[in-house]
Amino acid sequence: QKEVEQDPGPLSVPEGAIVSLNCTYSNSAFQYFMWYRQYSRKGPELLMYTYSSGNKEDGRFTAQVDKSSKYISLFIRDSQPSDSATYLCATVNAGGTSYGKLTFGQGTILTVHP
Amino acid sequence: KAGVTQTPRYLIKTRGQQVTLSCSPISGHRSVSWYQQTPGQGLQFLFEYFSETQRNKGNFPGRFSGRQFSNSRSEMNVSTLELGDSALYLCASTSARGGLGEQYFGPGTRLTVT
């Protein structure tokens, strides 16, 4: 079983829809959580970075962390065709010798159609 | 501030050859991590360097190695290439001393082994 599980989709929504992307993780030592967006043939772009449980908002994006359930979410409001990309969740084990190691979900392919 | 740069962007090599990839982190970032991305396995951590020292290593064979220079630039080397080494190789840098902060990725080097 993977340490971070993410539904690969694909997910197709109409422009303007609210998108919900989700990941679950198994290791309680994961303390930091990130969401990346990756366009085709590009490197991942950091969207959100959070530590604590709760919500963090940045423009049309809201990241939600529930450490008790080991569940992380990314919500995209008023989705646009330019949001079409692969979305990756990532976590970091803050303890021990986990220097620099992000553990990623498989990524969800999102298409927003006009 | 310039982002993470990687060279070359594309490489085609033959089985048995070796290859060296280069990464220049964001100015001021001293931690550099390397990842391999494939459709089947997703993003997998290779290793992390800080101040010219490898602090963490993923579960890859010894054919994969790296180093970091005093200016924080990093290289990774793959010897005796196999077909399964075909992938997008990404490097990421962070300013966090423990390498646990936000990581910013470069565009990647796409390696094709024939």
Side-chain angles (χ1 to χ4, degrees), chain B residues 26-114:
Chain B
I26 292 171
S27 178
H29 287 193
R30 295 167 64 190
S31 169
V32 174
S33 296
W34 287 89
Y35 296 84
Q36 181 195 66
Q37 186 175 31
T38 60
Q41 298 298 317
L43 271 149
Q44 293 186 288
F45 173 77
L46 280 157
F47 28 64
E48 188 260 5
Y49 286 87
F50 180 86
S51 291
E52 302 178 66
T53 300
Q54 185 185 89
R55 296 191 299 186
N56 200 3
K57 190 177 190 310
N59 190 25
F60 279 82
R63 299 185 297 107
F64 292 83
S65 63
R67 59 177 175 168
Q68 186 181 36
F69 302 95
S70 58
N71 62 357
S72 295
R73 190 177 70 85
S74 179
E75 290 181 346
M76 69 163 282
N77 184 77
V78 187
S79 62
T80 319
L81 284 165
E82 300 177 359
L83 294 178
D85 297 332
S86 294
L88 181 66
Y89 289 88
L90 294 155
C91 83
S93 73
T94 178
S95 58
R97 286 187 62 85
L100 300 178
E102 304 100 303
Q103 289 192 13
Y104 298 90
F105 283 81
T109 295
R110 185 163 297 278
L111 172 65
T112 302
V113 182
T114 62

Side-chain angles (χ1 to χ4, degrees), chain A residues 45-114:
Chain A
E45 171 193 9
L46 181 64
L47 288 176
M48 303 287 281
Y49 174 81
T50 185
Y51 170 75
S52 58
S53 283
N55 293 351
K56 181 177 181 180
E57 190 174 315
D58 184 0
R60 296 185 296 112
F61 298 92
T62 299
Q64 190 174 80
V65 176
D66 182 347
K67 289 187 178 180
S68 63
S69 303
K70 299 188 181 67
Y71 196 83
I72 57 177
S73 301
L74 178 71
F75 298 97
I76 306 174
R77 291 183 299 280
D78 188 25
S79 57
Q80 302 295 310
S82 59
D83 294 328
S84 299
T86 297
Y87 289 80
L88 297 146
C89 61
T91 71
V92 177
N93 181 344
T97 57
S98 300
Y99 303 108
K101 180 182 178 181
L102 296 182
T103 300
F104 283 87
Q106 279 292 97
T108 300
I109 300 171
L110 171 67
T111 301
V112 181
H113 50 86

Side-chain angles (χ1 to χ4, degrees), chain A residues 16-50:
Chain A
I18 296 175
V19 176
S20 173
L21 304 166
N22 309 292
C23 291
T24 59
Y25 62 95
S26 56
N27 190 343
S28 298
F30 288 145
Q31 296 293 324
Y32 298 86
F33 306 92
M34 281 147 274
W35 283 95
Y36 285 87
R37 177 175 63 194
Q38 186 174 24
Y39 292 114
S40 181
R41 310 191 80 79
K42 302 284 188 182
E45 171 193 9
L46 181 64
L47 288 176
M48 303 287 281
Y49 174 81
T50 185

